[in-house]
Amino acid sequence: MRPTLYEYAGGEQAFLRLAEAHHARCLADPELNHPFSHDDLNPEHVSRLAAYWAEVMGGPPRFTQECTDQSALLRMHAGNGDMGDLGRRFVECFVAAADDAGLPPDREFRATLRAYMEWAVADVLAYSPEEAVVPADLPIHRWSWDGLQGTPD
């Protein structure tokens, strides 16, 4: 049986390294640094991001159990108006952070990670209009080697 993306990446520690590397890259980016350098940024942002990505990729439901659901996550990013080039830059930071974090270099794995982040950014940007309303109680989506997995449980 094929391992989940979570298992293939190296589990919890791999996603923590990925979130740390991604956060560092976003801080270093002249356009992305602003949203990542606020004084009110949750001090657990990186560990929560790692838990979120781990859950999405087939890991334990820690983010859902300890933090929140997809609706709350989308609400944090909703209503900001035109985001310009931030989505593309965010994806590029994520892809480069996979190298920084030492994730497996397998081409299929990396293409799957990119496809996920492109989908995830599009999902978030769908709620960027100032009047956007995020539906309540959205569950965390799951991603696999084959892409988005049906309706989340």
Side-chain angles (χ1 to χ4, degrees):
M1 185 164 169
R2 194 172 200 184
T4 64
L5 295 166
Y6 170 80
E7 294 164 338
Y8 189 81
E12 184 177 344
Q13 290 305 307
F15 282 94
L16 185 55
R17 290 192 314 272
L18 178 60
E20 289 169 342
H22 183 260
H23 185 78
R25 282 194 170 268
C26 288
L27 282 174
D29 184 281
E31 298 294 322
L32 285 174
N33 67 10
H34 177 70
F36 288 86
S37 60
H38 286 217
D39 290 338
D40 63 348
L41 186 69
N42 186 316
E44 295 178 12
H45 171 74
V46 170
S47 63
R48 292 173 128 207
L49 184 59
Y52 177 77
W53 285 339
E55 184 171 338
V56 166
M57 299 295 170
R62 234 174 36 126
F63 184 83
T64 300
Q65 291 170 352
E66 299 174 12
C67 300
T68 192
D69 63 8
Q70 186 73 14
S71 294
L73 182 129
L74 289 171
R75 276 188 212 102
M76 284 190 285
H77 299 91
N80 290 315
D82 181 21
M83 300 301 285
D85 197 29
L86 292 185
R88 183 193 63 76
R89 295 174 89 96
F90 190 87
V91 170
E92 293 308 318
C93 283
F94 179 80
V95 168
D99 286 335
D100 300 342
L103 297 188
D106 176 78
R107 289 175 60 172
E108 183 182 7
F109 175 69
R110 293 301 184 92
T112 302
L113 288 181
R114 176 184 277 279
Y116 158 71
M117 189 51 70
E118 289 172 346
W119 174 87
V121 164
D123 189 40
V124 167
L125 291 179
Y127 297 98
S128 63
E130 292 178 20
E131 69 283 352
V133 176
V134 177
D137 303 321
L138 292 174
I140 303 294
H141 291 284
R142 297 296 184 132
W143 202 264
S144 79
W145 294 94
D146 298 321
L148 181 63
Q149 298 302 291
T151 304
D153 29 281

